[in-house]
Amino acid sequence: MTPADTGASTTVGAAASVSAPDAPAATGTADTSGTADTTGTSDSRMTPGGPGYRRMSLALFLAGVATFALLYSTQALLPLISGDMGVTASDASWTVAAATGGLAVFVLPMSALSERFGRRTVMTASLAVAVTVGLLVPFAPSLPALVALRAVQGAALAGLPASATAYLAEEVTPRALVTAIGLFVAGNSVGGMSGRVITGWVAQEWGWRIAVGVIGAVAVACAVAFRLLLPAPKHFTPGSLRPRVLVRTVRDHLADPLLRRLYAIGALFMTVFGGVYTVIGYRLAEAPFSLPQGLIGSIFLVYLVGTVSASTAGRLVGRLGRRGALYLGGGTTAAGLLLSLAPSLPLVLLGLVLITAGFFAGHAVASSAVGKTATHGRAQASALYQSAYYVGSSAGSTVGAVAFHSGGWAGTVGVGLLAVLGVVAITALGSLAARRQASAAPVRALSALR
C-alpha cells in the first residue's frame, strides 16, 4: 500500500530503538548529534550529500516500489479473476487477504531474524523469494493455488519493513533519518499505487495473468537494482535470537492498555480501507457505471490524497490533540462511506477521496503514537502495530467482499461504518481513561503528603 500500506509512520519510533543495541561500542559513532561523538571522532554514518547516501536512498526506494507493487498486485484485478476462474468476489478477495495476512503473521519473526543475520541479508532474501513467487503467480492453475502463492509472497515480503528501517537507523545519521525513511515510504506509496494502475491498464488489453506477470518483471528489476545499489552495512552488530526476551517484550506491549487501543484502531481503520478498495472494482464494473478495467485501475490514483493527509497528521495533532485527530479521521472516513452510496460517479469518487484522506490521517496518528508510547522494545511495538494493521487489511478484504456478495455496495459500506464506530468507541474509552488518571493524580498527591 501507500504510507498506510507500508506502515510508514510506524517506523520512525521503531528506528530510534533499533540502532541502540547494535551500535558498535568500539567505534565511537553513536552520537545523537549526527556529527561527532564524545571523543571527537567523526560520525561515519551516511548523510545527505555524503558517500553512498544517494545509492542507499535509491535502493530502498526501489525496494519499497517492489514490495507494495507485489503485495497488492491482484487488488485491482479481482473482477477479472472472478470472471476467469468462475468464483465470487468473496472468493477472489482471498488473493489479497492471503498476501497481507502472510505479512501480518511473519513481520515480527522476520524482524527478529534481521537482528541475527543482518538487515541487508534479510531484505535481499525476502525480495528474492517474493519476486520468484511473483513470476509463478500468472501460471496458477486454480484459485487455491493462487491464494497459496500469494500467502507465501506476503510472508516473504514481511522481511522488508522492519529490516529497512533498522538498516536506516544504523547506517544514517540521526538528523537525516526522517528524510531517509521518507524516501523509503515514498517508494511504498509509489509501488502500491502504480502496481494497481499498471495492472488495470495491462489487464484491459491482455488479461489479469499478463498484468501480474508485468508487475513481477518490474519487481525483479527493482530487486536486482536494490541489491547492486545498497551499500554494505558498516554499523550492524549481530545479536542472538533470544525467544524469551522477544516473548517478554511482546507480552509487555500487549499488557499496555494504550498500545492495545492503538493496535485496535490501526486494525479497524485498515478494515475499512481494505474492504473498500478490494470491492470498489466490482462496484465500478457494474451498472450504472460499467467502467473498463483500465479506468478502474486508475481509481487508485486517489492514493495521492492519502499521502497529503498523512503528511499533515502532525499539524492536526498539534491543533486537536491525538484523540481529536482520530475523531476527525474517523468522521471523514464515515462521511466518505456514506457519500459513496450515491449512484453518481463524481460523488463516488469524492467519497473515495474522503475515505482515503480520513484513513491515512487516522493511521498516521495511531502509528506514530505507538513509538511515543512504548518505553522499550519500540521495534517490536511497531511490528505488533504492523501485524494488527495487516490483519485488519485481510479482515477488511474478506469481510467486505462477503458483505458485497450478500448485500451489494451498501453491505460493504455497512461493514466500514461499523469499523469506524469501533474507532470512535475505542478513542472515547481512551478519553475516559485519561480523565480518570488525571482525577486520580491529585488524590495520590494528597495521600503522599499525609
Side-chain angles (χ1 to χ4, degrees):
M1 277 199 172
T2 55
D5 294 337
T6 69
S9 47
T10 70
T11 59
V12 177
S17 69
V18 177
S19 58
D22 290 341
T27 61
T29 59
D31 170 45
T32 57
S33 70
T35 56
D37 64 12
T38 56
T39 66
T41 303
S42 177
D43 192 334
S44 61
R45 288 175 289 181
M46 287 181 282
T47 190
Y53 185 85
R54 289 185 178 179
R55 289 179 53 206
M56 175 276 298
S57 299
L58 180 57
L60 290 179
F61 176 85
L62 293 174
V65 170
T67 298
F68 287 87
L70 289 172
L71 188 64
Y72 291 98
S73 59
T74 63
Q75 192 173 56
L77 306 176
L78 295 181
L80 296 181
I81 293 174
S82 290
D84 181 49
M85 294 188 166
V87 298
T88 64
S90 57
D91 291 333
S93 70
W94 279 103
T95 64
V96 179
T100 54
L103 193 152
V105 170
F106 281 90
V107 65
L108 190 59
M110 293 293 275
S111 67
L113 287 176
S114 77
E115 297 284 350
R116 176 65 182 88
F117 299 105
R119 321 303 184 189
R120 190 170 72 157
T121 299
V122 169
M123 287 189 286
T124 300
S126 294
L127 276 178
V129 173
V131 299
T132 300
V133 174
L135 296 177
L136 296 176
V137 164
F139 303 99
S142 63
L143 183 65
L146 178 58
V147 170
L149 287 171
R150 294 283 291 153
V152 173
Q153 196 170 49
L157 291 171
L160 267 295
S163 297
T165 54
Y167 174 93
L168 289 170
E170 293 160 353
E171 305 299 329
V172 176
T173 57
R175 289 180 178 177
L177 182 58
V178 174
T179 300
I181 289 177
L183 290 172
F184 175 62
V185 170
N188 299 344
S189 178
V190 170
M193 179 184 68
S194 61
R196 295 164 169 96
V197 174
I198 291 171
T199 55
W201 285 104
V202 173
Q204 180 173 306
E205 298 296 327
W206 296 288
W208 72 268
R209 294 181 185 273
I210 297 297
V212 294
V214 168
I215 292 300
V218 170
V220 168
C222 289
V224 172
F226 160 81
R227 188 61 181 82
L228 293 175
L229 289 170
L230 190 69
K234 296 180 180 179
H235 301 277
F236 171 73
T237 301
S240 62
L241 291 174
R242 295 174 289 177
R244 290 183 181 178
V245 175
L246 180 62
V247 170
R248 184 168 63 249
T249 302
V250 169
R251 186 171 61 242
D252 290 344
H253 292 328
L254 294 178
D256 187 313
L258 177 53
L259 285 176
R260 288 202 304 267
R261 289 195 293 269
L262 292 172
Y263 296 154
I265 287 171
L268 288 169
F269 264 123
M270 193 56 180
T271 297
V272 180
F273 199 69
V276 165
Y277 277 99
T278 294
V279 175
I280 190 63
Y282 291 96
R283 172 162 167 75
L284 296 178
E286 295 178 350
F289 309 114
S290 303
L291 297 183
Q293 186 63 44
L295 286 178
I296 291 174
S298 296
I299 294 298
F300 291 94
L301 290 170
V302 172
Y303 272 36
L304 295 174
V305 174
T307 302
V308 175
S309 69
S311 66
T312 61
R315 290 196 293 272
L316 284 178
V317 173
R319 293 181 180 180
L320 305 175
R322 183 178 66 236
R323 287 183 288 274
L326 288 173
Y327 285 132
L328 180 61
T332 303
T333 302
L337 287 168
L338 293 173
L339 196 59
S340 71
L341 290 168
S344 164
L345 184 59
L347 291 180
V348 170
L349 294 178
L350 179 58
L352 289 176
V353 167
L354 293 177
I355 292 168
T356 304
F359 160 74
F360 273 103
H363 163 57
V365 172
S367 59
S368 60
V370 170
K372 295 178 181 179
T373 302
T375 57
H376 67 288
R378 290 188 178 93
Q380 286 73 38
S382 292
L384 286 171
Y385 180 87
Q386 291 180 13
S387 294
Y389 176 83
Y390 284 109
V391 165
S393 177
S394 297
S397 299
T398 304
V399 177
V402 170
F404 181 80
H405 182 67
S406 59
W409 181 249
T412 302
V413 168
V415 170
L417 289 173
L418 286 174
V420 171
L421 182 61
V423 169
V424 172
I426 292 170
T427 305
L429 287 175
S431 299
L432 290 174
R435 289 173 185 171
R436 288 172 184 166
Q437 289 178 354
S439 61
V443 175
R444 288 196 297 268
L446 288 174
S447 300
L449 290 174
R450 292 173 184 171

